[in-house]
Amino acid sequence: MHLSKNKVKTTKIISQPVSRLAGSITVPGDKSISHRALMLGALATGETIISGLLESDDVLATANAMRALGAKVEKLTCGKWKVTGVGDNGFVAPDDSIDFGNAGTGIRLCLGLIAGHNIQVKFIGDESLSNRPMGRVLKPLSLMGLHTNSNDGCLPIKVCGNSTLIAAHHILPVASAQVKSALLLAGLNCDGQTIIDEPGPSRDHTENMLRLFGADLQTTQLLGSGKRITLNGPVKLQAQEVVVPGDPSSAAFAMVAALIIPNSDICIKNVMINPTRNGMLQTLQQAGYGISLQNERTLAGEKIADLQVVSGASAPISPDPDLAVTMIDEYPALMLLAAFAKGTSRFAGIGELRVKESDRIAQMEKLLFEHGVVVRSGADWVEIDGTGSVFGPNHCFNVMPDFAVKGDHRIAMCVLVLGMAGYLPTSIADSSSIATSYPGFIADMQSLGANIVMKTTSKPLVIAVDGPMASGKGTLARNLATHFGLPYLDTGLLYRATARAALQENIDLDDQDAIAELANSLSLPIMRVEELRLAHIGAAASRVAALPKVRSALLTLQREFSQNSKGAVLDGRDIGTVICPDADVKLWITASEKVRAERRRQELLQSGQEISEETMLAQLQERDARDAARDNAPMTMATNAHLIDTSKLSIDAALQVARQWVERKMD
């Protein structure tokens, strides 16, 4: 190992100003088409061949989901895949939960896809996806007879499919391609007509592809810009050959880069120009920006063209809010363009950006503000005062701090494009999120002339160890801290110390304000630790830990400890989810209820406290239920944590497993 034992390697990506972009690129296959091609191929009879599939994290999550449901999904060559569908046999129940990672489109469509099959499925995702609302899809599906159990409309979601779904007439309050698509996919197994009325335009890729796979589907115009889609079910899909066109959302970043970097002239090949997706193209052409269409053609029901992009124009842009659904993913790139325009640009009707992988309105406002751009925003709008260039917050410094992209691929690409076009470099600490939609983005930009470099650095190692009571997490965390030479904090002691103080002062354990005041007065290290291990203090600590103001009061103390320049190991119940969501290594330590109850009983017996096995088990179950059900920071395993079950492992064996996870991160 080349690094010191309490350091972890990180890669810093630095984007530096350039004078010109030139050449041609082919952006990855469209993500929306890729998801749908895999799903319909998985349900169809026969072998579907997909060319140009986007091999991003999101799409690969859908591919894995289709495998779990019984379809055979194979990669033939780069971008070319074969899907052998389940046909009349239908999907099968997976052996385990289906993890969609960060794929919002994939999971929402899959909820509809499996709705009409008699299987039970549990869907999970990463931390970002777990915070994104699914209720807008679950509610109309429930009206068709689908039974689900969710975390207040969010992941994890347990689905009980129903082969007797009822075909229904849905009137959507707002146009949504994901909701519409989920309902159409659910309607494939229904007897009768599934009818969807939407008030305005939305992406029609599902309708186009369903027709390609043999569905009987009609679209009629309603008053204004509304539309009615009618699907006649049940439908037996037939395998097809699908050519996936280039993703216009991915093309947006190269397009904007060429428009704002002087003397640039690039060609972006094979880009889809579907009318429900070309809002950005329309907006920029109408504003006088140098974008022309060449070699227009149609493949697999979708219109595509090569885009020739030339720099020069600088007009502000204010798209019609009705166009928002045709370019919702492109708005971050458009906001960046607006910062380089001359005048005020306004973007309205974009509230959906608040609930994407991150709050994209807030993220873009922060990014531009940090570079000296005047930005105003509301719940669903943004105004940007462009001056023709973006210099940066301080002309004296040529090194900017890393911008925290919060796992959002589109924000990460915006940061890098800003560095290419501004006067000062920009940087991000991690480019892995870009693989969600555009794995080759940096290489493509470099081929056009971008100066993007990667620098390997090291930073203090932070390890989060979570799990229920008596799982062995405390012992494991202490041993890890000793082995790697890191400071250690048992965060449970903070709550026990607060509870002890409350009991000593006869404060009601439901009096948040008084107990939060006690918590604010705590300092490290915690003294008289053995006294804190008493059972009655543990029970009081569990109640105190459920109080939001107390958790807030202790949050700062815990985070300050984790930011120690030497690194840190923290153990508790919400370290990886709340206290240190960006911890380098997250471990979830658990064991069976009976094993944990007996461990805790033996601890109490050794300290002179008598308790029966039955009573101990009941207390443990009650404690677990209370910790998991509390509204504020419930005990739950972080989506990217490594599970270690210590039921049958010795302390040394568990430590060896944990060390391997940590050392992999450090290598």
Side-chain angles (χ1 to χ4, degrees):
M1 203 172 295
H2 301 294
L3 298 174
S4 61
K5 66 179 181 179
N6 61 347
K7 298 282 185 177
V8 59
K9 287 194 295 186
T10 62
T11 301
K12 184 186 187 79
I13 298 88
I14 304 171
S15 179
Q16 304 182 80
V18 294
S19 59
R20 182 173 188 260
L21 296 181
S24 64
I25 59 172
T26 301
V27 295
D30 183 74
K31 186 165 66 168
S32 297
I33 301 294
S34 296
H35 281 305
R36 288 160 172 82
L38 287 169
M39 289 185 183
L40 296 190
L43 193 56
T45 297
E47 295 180 348
T48 293
I49 303 297
I50 307 171
S51 300
L53 185 83
L54 172 63
E55 294 177 0
S56 70
D57 292 350
D58 277 13
V59 174
L60 295 179
T62 292
N64 287 333
M66 296 306 102
R67 291 189 184 103
L69 292 169
K72 187 177 181 181
V73 183
E74 306 169 82
K75 179 177 179 178
L76 303 178
T77 59
C78 184
K80 189 168 186 177
W81 291 62
K82 180 172 72 173
V83 183
T84 305
V86 296
D88 292 340
N89 294 325
F91 290 131
V92 298
D95 295 330
D96 202 350
S97 300
I98 293 182
D99 187 348
F100 266 95
N102 194 33
T105 297
I107 194 168
R108 290 190 180 104
L109 267 59
C110 197
L111 287 168
L113 187 72
I114 70 164
H117 299 260
N118 275 332
I119 57 175
Q120 293 187 18
V121 184
K122 181 179 180 181
F123 291 105
I124 59 175
D126 66 12
E127 187 172 352
S128 172
L129 187 61
S130 297
N131 289 322
R132 295 166 69 182
M134 301 291 159
R136 57 181 176 152
V137 172
L138 296 177
K139 185 175 180 180
L141 286 174
S142 70
L143 298 177
M144 300 175 72
L146 180 66
H147 298 289
T148 62
N149 184 2
S150 70
N151 179 23
D152 194 23
C154 296
L155 297 179
I157 298 173
K158 293 181 180 178
V159 178
C160 294
N162 182 0
S163 61
T164 59
L165 285 182
I166 302 169
H169 185 171
H170 305 273
I171 301 176
L172 303 186
V174 295
S176 168
Q178 291 183 355
V179 175
K180 172 182 65 177
S181 298
L183 297 175
L184 288 173
L185 294 174
L188 293 174
N189 267 23
C190 292
D191 288 321
Q193 293 186 329
T194 296
I195 302 172
I196 301 170
D197 292 351
E198 54 180 353
S202 68
R203 299 179 181 185
D204 60 359
H205 306 311
T206 301
E207 296 98 301
N208 293 341
M209 194 165 291
L210 281 172
R211 292 189 186 98
L212 180 67
F213 277 77
D216 180 6
L217 182 145
Q218 298 85 39
T219 300
T220 55
Q221 197 69 32
L222 300 177
L223 291 176
S225 59
K227 194 169 57 171
R228 171 171 291 174
I229 304 101
T230 303
L231 174 70
N232 296 297
V235 178
K236 295 185 182 298
L237 302 177
Q238 298 298 317
Q240 300 293 323
E241 290 194 10
V242 179
V243 178
V244 181
D247 189 341
S249 300
S250 295
F253 298 95
M255 194 186 310
V256 166
L259 292 174
I260 61 180
I261 296 173
N263 306 312
S264 294
D265 186 350
I266 70 169
C267 180
I268 310 172
K269 296 182 177 180
N270 303 327
V271 180
M272 179 170 59
I273 55 171
N274 181 308
T276 67
R277 296 283 300 281
N278 68 354
M280 178 175 178
L281 182 61
Q282 291 181 47
T283 297
L284 295 181
Q285 286 181 325
Q286 290 170 5
Y289 285 86
I291 306 171
S292 59
L293 304 184
Q294 300 177 355
N295 192 22
E296 295 185 50
R297 54 215 187 269
T298 300
L299 282 175
E302 298 288 351
K303 294 182 179 180
I304 64 174
D306 300 336
L307 306 183
Q308 195 70 35
V309 187
V310 180
S311 61
S314 60
I317 46 179
S318 297
D320 186 331
D322 289 340
L323 286 176
V325 296
T326 69
M327 55 176 174
I328 195 66
D329 289 327
E330 286 89 305
Y331 274 101
L334 282 170
M335 292 178 198
L336 184 59
L337 175 64
F340 287 83
K342 295 179 179 179
T344 299
S345 298
R346 180 176 173 86
F347 305 98
I350 57 173
E352 185 180 342
L353 293 180
R354 295 282 188 190
V355 292
K356 289 288 190 177
E357 283 85 336
S358 67
D359 181 339
R360 287 179 176 163
I361 292 177
Q363 281 285 83
M364 287 304 300
E365 183 173 14
K366 182 175 185 292
L367 174 64
L368 296 178
F369 176 78
E370 288 182 357
H371 285 76
V373 181
V374 176
V375 183
R376 296 171 293 278
S377 70
D380 68 345
W381 62 270
V382 172
E383 285 184 350
I384 298 171
D385 294 342
T387 59
S389 63
V390 175
F391 212 108
N394 191 323
H395 303 176
C396 299
F397 296 100
N398 57 14
V399 177
M400 302 278 296
D402 297 340
F403 187 82
V405 300
K406 297 184 178 180
D408 193 320
H409 51 124
R410 302 199 191 280
I411 301 300
M413 288 186 277
C414 279
V415 176
L416 298 181
V417 172
L418 176 55
M420 294 157 53
Y423 286 87
L424 295 175
T426 59
S427 64
I428 57 178
D430 182 13
S431 64
S432 61
S433 63
I434 296 176
T436 298
S437 62
Y438 197 161
F441 173 73
I442 292 176
D444 280 354
M445 293 302 99
Q446 289 171 330
S447 74
L448 295 175
N451 186 4
I452 301 175
V453 296
M454 301 182 192
K455 181 180 179 182
T456 300
T457 60
S458 62
K459 68 181 184 67
L461 177 68
V462 176
I463 304 173
V465 183
D466 289 306
M469 179 177 73
S471 60
K473 66 180 184 296
T475 302
L476 181 64
R478 285 191 296 273
N479 287 341
L480 281 174
T482 299
H483 179 79
F484 290 105
L486 298 169
Y488 165 66
L489 177 63
D490 176 353
T491 63
L493 292 180
L494 303 179
Y495 294 97
R496 287 175 176 264
T498 302
R500 176 178 62 187
L503 293 172
Q504 288 174 340
E505 298 189 21
N506 293 318
I507 296 175
D508 188 324
L509 293 182
D510 293 322
D511 188 344
Q512 295 204 65
D513 294 325
I515 299 177
E517 188 174 340
L518 293 175
N520 275 319
S521 67
L522 282 183
S523 61
L524 297 175
I526 300 298
M527 307 302 290
R528 295 157 54 201
V529 171
E530 287 307 314
E531 180 184 328
L532 298 179
R533 303 293 184 190
L534 296 175
H536 74 284
I537 291 181
S542 182
R543 288 182 59 185
V544 164
L547 301 176
K549 290 184 179 179
V550 175
R551 300 199 73 83
S552 178
L554 293 175
L555 180 63
T556 300
L557 186 62
Q558 294 172 82
R559 285 187 173 166
E560 285 177 352
F561 184 89
S562 73
Q563 292 163 7
N564 188 306
S565 61
K566 297 179 181 179
V569 178
L570 298 88
D571 83 67
R573 290 172 172 77
D574 64 346
I575 308 302
T577 54
V578 177
I579 308 301
C580 302
D582 297 323
D584 302 297
V585 180
K586 299 179 184 180
L587 302 173
W588 179 264
I589 315 302
T590 190
S592 70
E593 287 183 346
K594 289 185 177 181
V595 169
R596 292 193 290 117
E598 182 57 23
R599 285 176 182 170
R600 181 58 178 153
R601 193 175 77 88
Q602 291 298 326
E603 288 177 4
L604 295 177
L605 288 174
Q606 290 174 13
S607 64
Q609 301 176 71
E610 292 284 346
I611 188 170
S612 69
E613 294 180 10
E614 295 76 10
T615 301
M616 188 68 253
L617 181 59
Q619 289 183 4
L620 180 139
Q621 291 171 334
E622 180 186 0
R623 173 74 177 273
D624 284 353
R626 185 165 61 246
D627 288 348
R630 65 191 181 210
D631 293 332
N632 186 264
M635 179 180 70
T636 184
M637 178 178 170
T639 54
N640 55 346
H642 304 295
L643 173 67
I644 301 178
D645 189 329
T646 65
S647 299
K648 299 180 180 179
L649 291 180
S650 66
I651 293 174
D652 289 342
L655 177 61
Q656 184 177 358
V657 174
R659 282 173 50 188
Q660 288 177 352
W661 284 120
V662 175
E663 288 166 356
R664 288 180 190 179
K665 184 69 178 181
M666 295 170 67
D667 284 337

